[in-house]
Amino acid sequence: MTGLPIGSSILTYDSIESTNDLAKHYLESGSDEGLLIFAEQQTQGRGRLGRQWVSLPGLGMYFSFILRPELSPEKLPLLTLMAGLALVSTISAYCPQNTKVKWPNDVLIYGKKVCGILCELCTSGSKPGIVVGIGINVNHTQDHFPTEIKSLATSIALEKSDSINRTELLSSLILSLNREYLSLQSEGGESRLLKNWSKHTNLWGRHVSLTKAGTVYSGKATRLDSFGNLIIRDESGQETAFNGGEVSFRKDSNF
Ligand code: BTN
């Protein structure tokens, strides 16, 4: 026992459908904050926007944990940023060059996705809470990725040209997640998170397209607001705050 919330108890499985689904079940049954579910393989791993998260055995890391934070509902998106900051800090220790967070929930190395976060709010059951699900490409080679994402995905091992000890990576990650979670809930935590997250992205000043509910918005990514929304300034100088969506870099971007 470390006295730290996240990972205060850990359940591991060889193969389950989805660690998020199982964590949700535990959350709804009243389990304590911090319970972490880890699977060697998922048969129905889920990503954002209804996508599949291919979860091959023994290669990646697939885990979810329960949080019951003291945060007002409109501030809950900060938890995705909190997890992203913990991940980018840990993965940077393996791949210092060009490991960045991409709003709202990805970690990229040289522009390719190495990690995704899926946060789900659960209001049914006795105590509401959040499930934070994390999928990391760790020891994958290019051949392990489905054809349609080969050019978009990478793994830590591919970028480091060395295989990675997943147990060590998980321990560092749990420490980092606890550090960021406790920091978020302490004095000044929200603005510290937004500031630190912002230092680990290469979004600012870039020309982006944001797709939300089938509509595409374009402009320059300028900053996050206090809720973790992404602010985009269009050609007329009008700023809009987005609380979700899929960001892509425009080809005419100079960066
Ligand atoms: C995304 O980038 O779209 C988010 C991917 C999240 C995948 C993880 S793997 C562990 C957890 N269980 C799931 O079913 N999904 C998340």
Side-chain angles (χ1 to χ4, degrees):
M1 278 293 283
T2 58
L4 297 171
I6 300 169
S8 48
S9 46
I10 299 180
L11 299 175
T12 59
Y13 296 84
D14 285 338
S15 180
I16 54 175
E17 290 185 354
S18 156
T19 57
N20 262 43
D21 290 349
L22 191 59
K24 256 190 196 174
H25 167 79
Y26 278 105
L27 189 152
E28 286 165 6
S29 316
S31 288
D32 288 338
E33 171 165 272
L35 172 68
L36 187 147
I37 312 281
F38 181 94
E40 281 294 333
Q41 177 185 22
Q42 296 182 116
T43 54
Q44 287 179 40
R46 297 185 286 109
R48 280 171 77 229
L49 311 170
R51 293 182 187 134
Q52 182 193 15
W53 186 267
V54 176
S55 311
L56 300 173
L59 288 173
M61 300 225 300
Y62 321 110
F63 64 95
S64 306
F65 51 89
I66 293 173
L67 295 180
R68 300 189 188 275
E70 301 286 329
L71 272 180
S72 55
E74 68 277 12
K75 292 280 173 98
L76 291 177
L78 294 178
L79 294 172
T80 303
L81 302 181
M82 178 283 292
L85 181 58
L87 285 157
V88 78
S89 311
T90 306
I91 295 172
S92 297
Y94 292 80
C95 304
Q97 299 87 11
N98 237 304
T99 301
K100 305 283 180 198
V101 272
K102 182 183 161 215
W103 187 89
N105 74 322
D106 292 343
V107 178
L108 311 179
I109 305 178
Y110 287 109
K112 292 185 167 187
K113 182 157 170 168
V114 68
C115 168
I117 302 160
L118 181 65
C119 282
E120 297 183 295
L121 173 66
C122 305
T123 48
S124 56
S126 50
K127 291 187 278 177
I130 306 280
V131 166
V132 182
I134 294 175
I136 312 175
N137 302 328
V138 183
N139 284 320
H140 296 63
T141 66
Q142 275 295 322
D143 290 342
H144 291 120
F145 296 121
T147 315
E148 60 281 11
I149 63 164
K150 267 192 204 306
S151 63
L152 307 171
T154 191
S155 71
I156 303 177
L158 274 170
E159 298 302 327
K160 196 170 157 47
S161 304
D162 200 0
S163 70
I164 306 298
N165 180 319
R166 288 182 309 138
T167 311
E168 282 173 14
L169 176 61
L170 184 62
S171 307
S172 316
L173 255 177
I174 290 176
L175 278 178
S176 186
L177 284 161
N178 275 299
R179 189 173 51 238
E180 297 306 336
Y181 185 53
L182 294 175
S183 165
L184 173 62
Q185 296 196 95
S186 64
E187 174 95 37
E190 295 177 13
S191 53
R192 194 163 48 241
L193 166 66
L194 295 165
K195 197 166 129 212
N196 288 337
W197 190 97
S198 296
K199 282 186 196 157
H200 285 279
T201 190
N202 57 2
L203 267 175
W204 310 134
R206 288 182 76 170
H207 214 173
V208 296
S209 295
L210 183 143
T211 308
K212 192 174 179 198
T215 305
V216 182
Y217 306 86
S218 296
K220 271 196 177 163
T222 61
R223 63 195 159 83
L224 298 176
D225 70 11
S226 62
F227 301 98
N229 295 322
L230 180 65
I231 308 289
I232 295 184
R233 188 187 306 133
D234 69 16
E235 281 177 1
S236 71
Q238 168 86 31
E239 290 196 332
T240 308
F242 292 90
N243 64 3
E246 186 80 352
V247 172
S248 55
F249 296 119
R250 293 270 301 262
K251 294 223 166 32
D252 53 352
S253 173
N254 293 325
F255 296 85

